[in-house]
Amino acid sequence: MKKGDWFVIVLLLISPILINYIVLGQSFGITVNGSIDGWLGFYGAFVGAIIPMFILYRTRMWNKEDNDETRKSLNKILQYQAKRIWFEGLRKQLDENYRILDFQGAILAINEMALGNCQTAMELLMQLNKSIEMQSHSFDLYFCGKDRTEEETVYLICYNEVLREYGCFVNDLIIVCGLKMRIEKGDDIELYITVSIQKINELHEKDESVILSHFLKELKGLVDAKLLKCDLEKVCEKRIADISMIHSEKNKLAQVTSELLKFEEREIESILH
């Protein structure tokens, strides 16, 4: 109970003593009119009316306080449940983000190229490239329209960097595969390289996340220096070997993902406390 409640209770308890002192003792030089029985009857009726009113008032206040607490608890529960649903969706999205970095698929395409099955390799690589494009447009919705925490920002930076490197690597493998197919057919590979670089530059003007890789810059340098026939195979093998370096970045993404999920779960659990 509050201090005011205790004050009223104490006042009611000591009031008989005060009334007795005033009525019977005629203290403070006050002339008391009326009989003692009359005053005691008035006092009893007055107190009898005050006590129920006070109890009614406090009951309403207690009910209001209980209702406020109930509403707060209910709001917390509803907020917790909504965040739980959001968290499960986020977990699935992060798993999908990790799986989209399909290095097994890339290795399979590289092996098909090594076996001379360039058409099969090209189909695999085009499927990987399509999956990357679809994934890159779906993830930002989870952190859209809110102030991002440090953990969310770290994850987004890491994920976007790894996805960009992986996507660039897949695009370069498509070009490597295209070069092998044109070499087998005896087509003009210099023209193919020039057109490929031109298309990448056009895409970069529309989307800055699309970058001209160091591999394409090396190919352009070979074309300009007329050294394409000498060093083409070496440059292509060097780019294929980059898969190990890019894969190591995926391990870093796994760690950042785990830290983000732990952070989000702690934030959700704190709602109920």
Side-chain angles (χ1 to χ4, degrees), residues 93-209:
Q93 183 65 63
L94 296 183
D95 289 342
E96 187 63 28
N97 289 351
Y98 189 77
R99 285 197 298 269
I100 206 68
L101 304 172
D102 186 5
F103 286 93
Q104 292 297 326
I107 292 173
L108 182 59
I110 291 171
N111 290 337
E112 291 293 338
M113 279 192 284
L115 295 172
N117 302 324
C118 292
Q119 186 60 43
T120 302
M122 182 63 77
E123 291 174 0
L124 291 169
L125 292 170
M126 293 303 293
Q127 183 60 44
L128 292 177
N129 189 61
K130 181 180 178 181
S131 298
I132 294 170
E133 290 179 354
M134 292 177 61
Q135 187 72 6
S136 62
H137 294 294
S138 63
F139 175 58
D140 283 344
L141 295 176
Y142 271 88
F143 297 131
C144 181
K146 61 172 286 189
D147 294 330
R148 292 171 181 163
T149 63
E150 181 180 351
E151 288 79 4
E152 292 166 350
T153 301
V154 168
Y155 175 85
L156 285 171
I157 292 174
C158 180
Y159 171 69
N160 287 330
E161 287 180 353
V162 176
L163 184 64
R164 183 169 56 250
E165 288 293 332
Y166 175 75
C168 187
F169 178 72
V170 171
N171 284 333
D172 287 349
L173 287 183
I174 291 173
I175 293 174
V176 171
C177 189
L179 284 170
K180 288 182 176 290
M181 295 172 71
R182 281 160 179 76
I183 290 172
E184 290 176 0
K185 295 178 181 179
D187 293 342
D188 188 347
I189 58 175
E190 290 188 7
L191 177 61
Y192 173 71
I193 293 172
T194 302
V195 171
S196 297
I197 293 174
Q198 182 180 352
K199 288 182 178 179
I200 294 294
N201 285 329
E202 290 174 356
L203 289 173
H204 177 70
E205 291 178 359
K206 298 177 181 179
D207 184 357
E208 293 184 355
S209 64

Side-chain angles (χ1 to χ4, degrees), residues 2-60:
K2 298 181 179 180
K3 292 182 178 179
D5 298 337
W6 287 111
F7 174 77
V8 173
I9 292 172
V10 171
L11 183 61
L12 289 173
L13 290 175
I14 67 173
S15 59
I17 301 174
L18 295 175
I19 293 297
N20 182 68
Y21 183 70
I22 294 173
V23 173
L24 298 180
Q26 297 184 0
S27 58
F28 309 113
I30 299 174
T31 301
V32 180
N33 297 318
S35 66
I36 294 175
D37 291 339
W39 274 107
L40 291 177
F42 169 77
Y43 171 73
F46 178 76
V47 172
I50 289 294
I51 291 177
M53 291 176 61
F54 174 73
I55 292 175
L56 178 62
Y57 167 76
R58 285 310 303 158
T59 300
R60 289 174 60 87

